[in-house]
Amino acid sequence: MTETSSSDTPDPNPQPEQAKENIEDLLLSLRRKEGSWVEWGQACATLQKAGYTPQAIFEATGFEPIQQNQVIVGAQVYTSLVNGEASLEARSHYFRKGSDILYELRILTQLERVATAEFILSRNLDADVAREVAKDVKELSRMRTLPQGFSNHPGDAVAYQYWRRAKQQTDLAERSRFIARGLMFAHSQSARQQIEQLLTEVVGTSKRKAPILPVYRQDEDEQQPRIIPVAGVLPLKSADLQNVPLVEPIKPFELVEISWNGSWVSLPGWQVVLKAQEPVVILCNSSYLPNQLSSTSEPILLLIDRAKQEWDADSYFLFEESGELQFRWFPDAPSFPLLGQVILVLRPKKILDEEMSKDQWELED
């Protein structure tokens, strides 16, 4: 849709009564595309304040919602150019056309909008380049101190970004292209000197490329171990169990703050381990269990969930007998309190005889 011109700039802040009286006139004016795009934006804003939705305005005038947003925001930026005392040439130019360009300057302050709009006009830049210029000006304004040799002028803001990209570029062709673009936008002589210094670095030996960081992401729960306190080695008393603290890992890396002087063990992230509410580990020999795992005695690790103290017929439970902790299966609910459920019995990793593992033929025979 072509942006037309108007001889007079409309009042940017019409009174509510005036807006209500002129609703039909505004709709007719928009339908006929009368006046400047700035007036279109002010008219669309007035209609929306009067209760018209963007869709209703579109149906009545033909202005699509996306275009309404562009001219409304652009008109607000234009008003800031007027209030910021932009040059007569800039005000005259943007009053006739340039809603898409001024829309991109919405992220800037009033002073930055004036300087950037003047710069874009002087270089005859389009909306796509204006978007990058506004972005570079905004990024430079966030710095506590200006980069050495660069001013806060929009041209230097763009030139600084090309200077930074050129320094990071190892490909000579791309590096040269960034340098050329930086020199094209540079406003101050000191900024030009900073960029020209990169030309001498091109002749020298290329810098070694930084290595790729070894970044990984855990995809499976089993890859995330769980750190669990160890009550000790049997025989133990109930006090030994009660002295073990409740551990609450900190997300997302399951960090554990240790203030307890006891031992800790890391178990794989199996579901039975992750679901335990108050896990604690007890070490013992397999001979302590009611049903031995095999005829060979070996050290084992018992994972107890202290939160599970309600009897069920399918589990083994920890209890105290004659002052010592014991394990047992109960066909019926016992009359004494249960101290926790045995949820995992872990045997040590089986290691083949070292000498035998060297002779593979013995294994294959």
Side-chain angles (χ1 to χ4, degrees), residues 266-281:
S266 175
L267 295 182
W270 299 325
Q271 284 300 311
V272 66
V273 176
L274 297 178
K275 289 182 178 180
Q277 299 177 40
E278 295 186 30
V280 62
V281 163

Side-chain angles (χ1 to χ4, degrees), residues 69-83:
N69 182 55
Q70 177 177 303
V71 294
I72 289 174
V73 175
Q76 293 171 349
V77 175
Y78 177 81
T79 300
S80 68
L81 296 186
V82 175
N83 296 336

Side-chain angles (χ1 to χ4, degrees), residues 162-163 165-184 195-196 198-203:
Y162 280 115
W163 173 84
R165 295 171 195 164
K167 286 185 67 68
Q168 297 172 350
Q169 185 58 247
T170 56
D171 181 83
L172 295 183
E174 283 297 294
R175 183 183 176 94
S176 299
R177 186 175 70 85
F178 288 145
I179 291 175
R181 294 285 291 177
L183 291 173
M184 183 180 71
I195 299 174
E196 288 172 350
L198 298 180
L199 294 172
T200 59
E201 297 179 9
V202 174
V203 183

Side-chain angles (χ1 to χ4, degrees), residues 238-305:
S238 60
D240 297 323
L241 185 69
Q242 296 170 359
N243 291 334
V244 177
L246 175 63
V247 180
E248 296 183 0
I250 304 173
K251 302 291 184 181
F253 297 106
E254 304 299 319
L255 301 180
V256 174
E257 295 183 353
I258 298 177
S259 57
W260 184 54
N261 294 327
S263 301
W264 300 79
V265 65
S266 175
L267 295 182
W270 299 325
Q271 284 300 311
V272 66
V273 176
L274 297 178
K275 289 182 178 180
Q277 299 177 40
E278 295 186 30
V280 62
V281 163
I282 292 178
L283 302 176
C284 67
N285 193 280
S286 58
S287 60
Y288 273 90
L289 296 180
N291 297 323
Q292 293 193 33
L293 300 175
S294 66
S295 58
T296 303
S297 179
E298 63 179 341
I300 58 172
L301 178 151
L302 302 176
L303 180 59
I304 311 297
D305 191 347

Side-chain angles (χ1 to χ4, degrees), residues 20-285:
K20 293 179 181 179
E21 294 174 359
N22 295 334
I23 290 298
E24 292 300 325
D25 292 339
L26 291 176
L27 292 172
L28 180 61
S29 178
L30 287 174
R31 195 156 47 240
R32 293 176 176 177
K33 307 301 183 290
E34 296 175 346
S36 163
W37 71 266
V38 177
E39 296 170 300
W40 301 347
Q42 293 169 341
C44 289
T46 300
L47 290 172
Q48 289 187 12
K49 289 179 181 179
Y52 280 75
T53 65
Q55 183 61 29
I57 297 175
F58 167 62
E59 294 173 356
T61 65
F63 276 79
E64 296 182 357
I66 189 173
Q67 187 185 15
Q68 295 175 41
N69 182 55
Q70 177 177 303
V71 294
I72 289 174
V73 175
Q76 293 171 349
V77 175
Y78 177 81
T79 300
S80 68
L81 296 186
V82 175
N83 296 336
E85 300 182 351
S87 67
L88 179 61
E89 179 186 4
R91 284 181 287 167
S92 176
H93 171 81
Y94 287 114
F95 188 72
R96 297 192 306 273
K97 59 181 181 180
S99 63
D100 54 345
I101 290 176
L102 294 191
Y103 175 82
E104 302 298 343
L105 307 189
R106 66 192 184 281
I107 62 175
L108 305 178
T109 64
Q110 178 174 288
L111 292 178
E112 292 169 348
R113 289 174 179 177
V114 172
T116 305
E118 300 268 13
F119 174 73
I120 291 173
L121 177 59
S122 68
R123 296 298 183 95
N124 193 29
L125 305 177
D126 60 23
D128 291 334
V129 180
R131 183 184 306 111
E132 296 302 318
V133 173
K135 179 181 175 182
D136 293 344
V137 171
K138 189 66 175 179
E139 186 168 338
L140 190 69
S141 69
R142 290 171 176 160
M143 296 184 180
R144 292 186 177 180
T145 57
L146 291 173
Q148 182 178 356
F150 293 90
S151 70
N152 60 359
H153 187 277
D156 279 10
V158 180
Y160 168 71
Q161 294 301 327
Y162 280 115
W163 173 84
R164 186 175 59 84
R165 295 171 195 164
K167 286 185 67 68
Q168 297 172 350
Q169 185 58 247
T170 56
D171 181 83
L172 295 183
E174 283 297 294
R175 183 183 176 94
S176 299
R177 186 175 70 85
F178 288 145
I179 291 175
R181 294 285 291 177
L183 291 173
M184 183 180 71
F185 281 97
H187 172 75
S188 66
Q189 183 59 33
S190 57
R192 294 186 62 86
Q193 292 174 352
Q194 288 289 330
I195 299 174
E196 288 172 350
Q197 287 179 5
L198 298 180
L199 294 172
T200 59
E201 297 179 9
V202 174
V203 183
T205 57
S206 59
K207 296 182 179 179
R208 184 175 179 179
K209 188 175 181 180
I212 299 176
L213 285 169
V215 180
Y216 296 87
R217 183 185 296 279
Q218 292 179 336
D219 296 323
E220 303 293 339
D221 288 339
E222 290 188 9
Q223 295 177 350
Q224 177 68 66
R226 186 170 184 181
I227 308 300
I228 300 175
V230 179
V233 182
L234 289 180
L236 295 172
K237 300 182 181 299
S238 60
D240 297 323
L241 185 69
Q242 296 170 359
N243 291 334
V244 177
L246 175 63
V247 180
E248 296 183 0
I250 304 173
K251 302 291 184 181
F253 297 106
E254 304 299 319
L255 301 180
V256 174
E257 295 183 353
I258 298 177
S259 57
W260 184 54
N261 294 327
S263 301
W264 300 79
V265 65
S266 175
L267 295 182
W270 299 325
Q271 284 300 311
V272 66
V273 176
L274 297 178
K275 289 182 178 180
Q277 299 177 40
E278 295 186 30
V280 62
V281 163
I282 292 178
L283 302 176
C284 67
N285 193 280

